[in-house]
C-alpha cells in the first residue's frame, strides 16, 4: 500500500530566516499608548506576528531572488520587460501590458484616462463592481465618477458558510444596466477575490454571467485581479473540480476586456502591479499618463529586477501544490474557530481570517468600535497586529456624519509563505484567550481624526 498523508505540507522549505521581535505585555501597553491606540502607528519591532495585510508581505522564492540578479535595468526596451510582457500575455491573453509600481497606480491611470476621454459631461458616471476596494473607490471618486457595489445578498450573512459569497448580485446589476444609459457607465468591474467582503471568491458561473451582461450592454469589463490565483483555487476545489489552475485563470481573463492588478498579492512580490488590456483603444492615452507619473512604458515605476521577480511569481502562484497549501492554511484557522465557537466570517476566505467582532462583543455598540477594541486586545495580550474592518474604517460619511458599517470585522491577513503552522497555533491560542476575556472588552473613542481614510492616522482612547 502506498503512503498517503492527510497532512497538506508547505510545498517549500525555509532558506533564509528573519528573527521575530519579542516584547513583554508592559512594553506593548506602553507602545499602544505611544501609538495613540492606532495599530498603523506601531513600529514593526514592537509586533511579534504581523497580520495587518497580505499585500507586499510575501516571502520570495530562491528562484525569485535569483531572477532579481537577471534584472536588466535598461531605461527603454529592457529584456526584463519583454519577459514580463510575454508572461502576462500568456497568462491573460491580453496584448497590451502596462507596468505600474502597485495596484492603485494602475487604478489611477485607468480612471484618469477614462475621465479625460469622457471630457466634461453633466451626466453622472457610474462604475459597478461586486465590491470596490477602498483605493479603487477613492480613485473612481477622485475623477468625479461614482463607485457602486452589487455584492451578493449572501455576503450579509456573516455566520453562514455559503460558497462563493464574493459573487456579484447579477439580478441587481442587470436592473442597474437596464435602467442606466450606456453613456453613464464608462467601465464595469469585478473584484477577485472580494477583499471588502471577506476575501470571498467569485464563482466561474458568476464571472461568466457578469461578462455576458457587460457584453450585452456594450460596457468594457475590467477585472480587479489582485487575488485571481486564490479565486481560481476555490473554483478548482469547489466548482470545476479537476481543472488546472492556469487553464481556469486563462478562461477567467478571456471573459473580460482587461484587468488592473496589484502584484503585491498574487504575484508573490513586495512591490509591483500592472494594467493589461485586450484592445489598443486607451493605450496611447495610458502611456502618456504613465510617462507623466510612473515612468517609461517598459518599466512603469519599477526596476527591471522587480519585473523579473513578478514574472517568476506569476508562475509559482498557479502551482497546484502552492494553491492547495494556501487554501488549507486558511481553512486550518477557520476549523479552529469553528471548534471553539469563536465567531468569524464563514467560510474562511482566500487570504485572511475575519473575526466577527460584533458577535465577539455583543455588549459594545457599533459606535464603540468593537473591531478596533478586539484588534487592540490581540496586540496587547500577544503582540499580534491585525486590522479593523468596520465602522471605524468606513463609518465616517462624506458629510462628516457617522453611520454603522453593518459588519464589524477584524481581518487577520496571512502573508504568503511567511508564517508556519506553529505561528498560526500561537495566534489561535491568543484569539481563544482574548475570547474568554470578552466580557471585559472596552469601547474605543476617537480623540482626533483626519477627514478621509481616518483609520490610518486617527488617535484614540481605549
Ligand atoms: N484592489 C484590491 C482588491 C486590493 O485588495 C488592493 C490592496 C488594491 C486593489 C490596491 O493595490 O495596495 O498594490 O495599491 N489591498 C491591500 C490590503 C492594501 O491590505 O488589502 P495596492
Amino acid at each position: 500500500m502506498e503512503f498517503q498523508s492527510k497532512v497538506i505540507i508547505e510545498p517549500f522549505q525555509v532558506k533564509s530566516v528573519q528573527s521575530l521581535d519579542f516584547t513583554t505585555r508592559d512594553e506593548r501597553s506602553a507602545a499602544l499608548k505611544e501609538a495613540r491606540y492606532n495599530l498603523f502607528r506601531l513600529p514593526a519591532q514592537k509586533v511579534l506576528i504581523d497580520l495587518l495585510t497580505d499585500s507586499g508581505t510575501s516571502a520570495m522564492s530562491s528562484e525569485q531572488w535569483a531572477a532579481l540578479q537577471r534584472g536588466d535595468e535598461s531605461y527603454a526596451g529592457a529584456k526584463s520587460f519583454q519577459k514580463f510582457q510575454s508572461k502576462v500575455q500568456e497568462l491573460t491573453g491580453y496584448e497590451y501590458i502596462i507596468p505600474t509600481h502597485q495596484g492603485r497606480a494602475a487604478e489611477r491611470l485607468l480612471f484618469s484616462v477614462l475621465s479625460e476621454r469622457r471630457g466634461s459631461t453633466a451626466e453622472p458616471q457610474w462604475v459597478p463592481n461586486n465590491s470596490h476596494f477602498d483605493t479603487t473607490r477613492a480613485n473612481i471618486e477622485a475623477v468625479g465618477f461614482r463607485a457602486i457595489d452589487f455584492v451578493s445578498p449572501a455576503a450579509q450573512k456573516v455566520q453562514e458558510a455559503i460558497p462563493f459569497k464574493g459573487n456579484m448580485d447579477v439580478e441587481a446589476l442587470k436592473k442597474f444596466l437596464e435602467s442606466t444609459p450606456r453613456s453613464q457607465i464608462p467601465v464595469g468591474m469585478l473584484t477577485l477575490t472580494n477583499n471588502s467582503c471577506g476575501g470571498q471568491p467569485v464563482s466561474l458561473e458568476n464571472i461568466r454571467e457578469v461578462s455576458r451582461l457587460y457584453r450585452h450592454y456594450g460596457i468594457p469589463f475590467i477585472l480587479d485581479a489582485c487575488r485571481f490565483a486564490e479565486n481560481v483555487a476555490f473554483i478548482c476545489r469547489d466548482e470545476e473540480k479537476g481543472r488546472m489552475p492556469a487553464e481556469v485563470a486563462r478562461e477567467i481573463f478571456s471573459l473580460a476586456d482587461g484587468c488592473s492588478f496589484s502584484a503585491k498579492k498574487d504575484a508573490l512580490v513586495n512591490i509591483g502591479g500592472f494594467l493589461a488590456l485586450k484592445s489598443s483603444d486607451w493605450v496611447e492615452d495610458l502611456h502618456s499618463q504613465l510617462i507623466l507619473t510612473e515612468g517609461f512604458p517598459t518599466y512603469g515605476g519599477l526596476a527591471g529586477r522587480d519585473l523579473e521577480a513578478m514574472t517568476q511569481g506569476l508562475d509559482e502562484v498557479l502551482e497546484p501544490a502552492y494553491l492547495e497549501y494556501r487554501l488549507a492554511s486558511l481553512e486550518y484557522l477557520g476549523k479552529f474557530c469553528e471548534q471553539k465557537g469563536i465567531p468569524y466570517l464563514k467560510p474562511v476566505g482566500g487570504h485572511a481570517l475575519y473575526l466577527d467582532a460584533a458577535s465577539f462583543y455583543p455588549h459594545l455598540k457599533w459606535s464603540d468600535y468593537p473591531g478596533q477594541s478586539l484588534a487592540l486586545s490581540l496586540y496587547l495580550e500577544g503582540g499580534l497586529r491585525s486590522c479593523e474592518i468596520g465602522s471605524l474604517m468606513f463609518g465616517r460619511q462624506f458629510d462628516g456624519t457617522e453611520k454603522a458599517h453593518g459588519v464589524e470585522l477584524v481581518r487577520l491577513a496571512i502573508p504568503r509563505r511567511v508564517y508556519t503552522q506553529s505561528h498560526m497555533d500561537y495566534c489561535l491560542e491568543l484569539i481563544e484567550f482574548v475570547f474568554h476575556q470578552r466580557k471585559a472588552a472596552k469601547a474605543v473613542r476617537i480623540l482626533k481624526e483626519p477627514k478621509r481614510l481616518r483609520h490610518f492616522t486617527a488617535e484614540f482612547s481605549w
Side-chain angles (χ1 to χ4, degrees), residues 138-166:
N139 274 300
I140 289 169
E141 289 172 355
V143 300
F145 290 2
R146 300 178 193 185
I148 182 164
D149 291 346
F150 294 108
V151 67
S152 128
Q156 306 304 322
K157 299 174 187 154
V158 173
Q159 300 281 344
E160 282 179 45
I162 303 164
F164 298 106
K165 269 186 179 176

Side-chain angles (χ1 to χ4, degrees), residues 176 205 234 280 305 317 329 393 462:
F176 174 77
E205 190 192 347
F234 282 102
S280 63
R305 57 178 171 273
V317 80
S329 58
M393 190 179 268
W462 183 49

